[in-house]
């Protein structure tokens, strides 16, 4: 069995001629919970979107489980950054989760009882089953993020990509989300999470990608979470690194 989940070769992305992501090469084995960290504007979201073919790349080759994104699209669940989502869009919680079942529905089939039951099960897993009839716009940030995780679960994907899932989220929701992400990895899924905040990165992830336009460091949390390595990316922005658990 091939255990390679993600391989990225020579990835370059720019906006209007300015490079946002430069020369990223890495590969991730199946079953890892990978944090993508780096300061604001480091290109974390750009990296994620370019990997998933959601924005054009200048060059680079990305394989997911040895295949192109197009070939494995159904196996990929993506939860965008909160401010990339239109929360005024009139849709109930249940319908938002049901969208997750679409990739697995046959062409022209609408979700039926079976899909609805599955969507409710996913809502239960994130502790949101009582909110199924609410409009997504009425929920708190943490509740919205849990619903989007339920939608990703409903998709029964192999790979999960989340962009800043903890921003604007209460502590209890954050804990629920982290617990589920860890469970997914134990089940052999691969999870990548953009996380701009260094605090807790060592509790949450087992591997880290440290990005600042270029790949500064990639490896186990212990390898990446070293003062000199972090400083190279954050360039002295953090005077409190010791308090955050970065090893010197
Ligand atoms: P991060 O997610 O690490 O905060 P981004 O990937 O959002 O960083 O952005 C990386 C860089 O690219 C930033 O300088 C940002 O201003 C720029 N950028 C991001 N999206 C766009 C866009 N749609 N058009 C032009 N520039 C962009
Ligand atoms: Mg971002």
């Amino acid at each position: 069995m091939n255990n390679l989940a993600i391989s990225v070769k020579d990835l370059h992305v720019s906006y209007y001629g300015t490079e946002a992501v430069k020369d990223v090469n890495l590969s991730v084995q199946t079953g890892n919970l990978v944090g993508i960290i780096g300061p604001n504007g480091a290109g974390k979201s750009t990296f994620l979107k370019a990997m998933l073919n959601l924005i054009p790349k200048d060059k680079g080759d990305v394989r997911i489980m040895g295949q192109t994104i197009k070939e494995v699209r159904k196996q990929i669940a993506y939860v965008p950054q909160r401010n990339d989502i239109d929360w005024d869009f009139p849709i109930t919680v249940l319908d938002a989760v049901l969208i997750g079942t679409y990739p697995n529905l046959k062409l022209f089939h609408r979700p039926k009882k079976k899909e609805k039951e599955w969507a409710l099960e996913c809502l239960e897993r994130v502790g949101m089953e009582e909110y199924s009839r609410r409009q997504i716009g009425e929920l708190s940030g943490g509740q919205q993020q849990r619903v989007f995780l339920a939608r990703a679960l409903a998709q029964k994907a192999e790979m999960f990509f989340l962009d800043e899932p903890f921003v604007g989220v209460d502590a209890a929701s954050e804990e629920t989300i982290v617990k589920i992400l860890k469970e997914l990895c134990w089940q052999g899924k691969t999870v990548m999470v953009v996380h701009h905040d260094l605090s807790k990165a060592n509790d949450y992830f087992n591997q880290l990608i440290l990005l600042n336009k270029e790949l500064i460091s990639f490896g186990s949390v212990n390898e990446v979470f070293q003062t000199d390595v972090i400083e190279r990316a954050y360039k002295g922005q953090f005077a409190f690194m010791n308090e955050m658990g970065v090893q010197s």
Side-chain angles (χ1 to χ4, degrees), residues 44-45 81 163-164 194:
K44 303 180 296 296
S45 298
Q81 226 169 315
D163 199 342
E164 305 267 15
V194 171

Side-chain angles (χ1 to χ4, degrees), residues 31 35 37 41 56 58 89 92 118 124-127 133 166 175 183 243:
I37 59 172
D58 295 341
F89 191 82
T92 66
W118 171 237
E124 201 177 333
R125 194 161 166 200
V126 301
R133 289 161 195 273
F166 309 126
E175 214 173 283
E183 284 166 4
E243 286 170 32

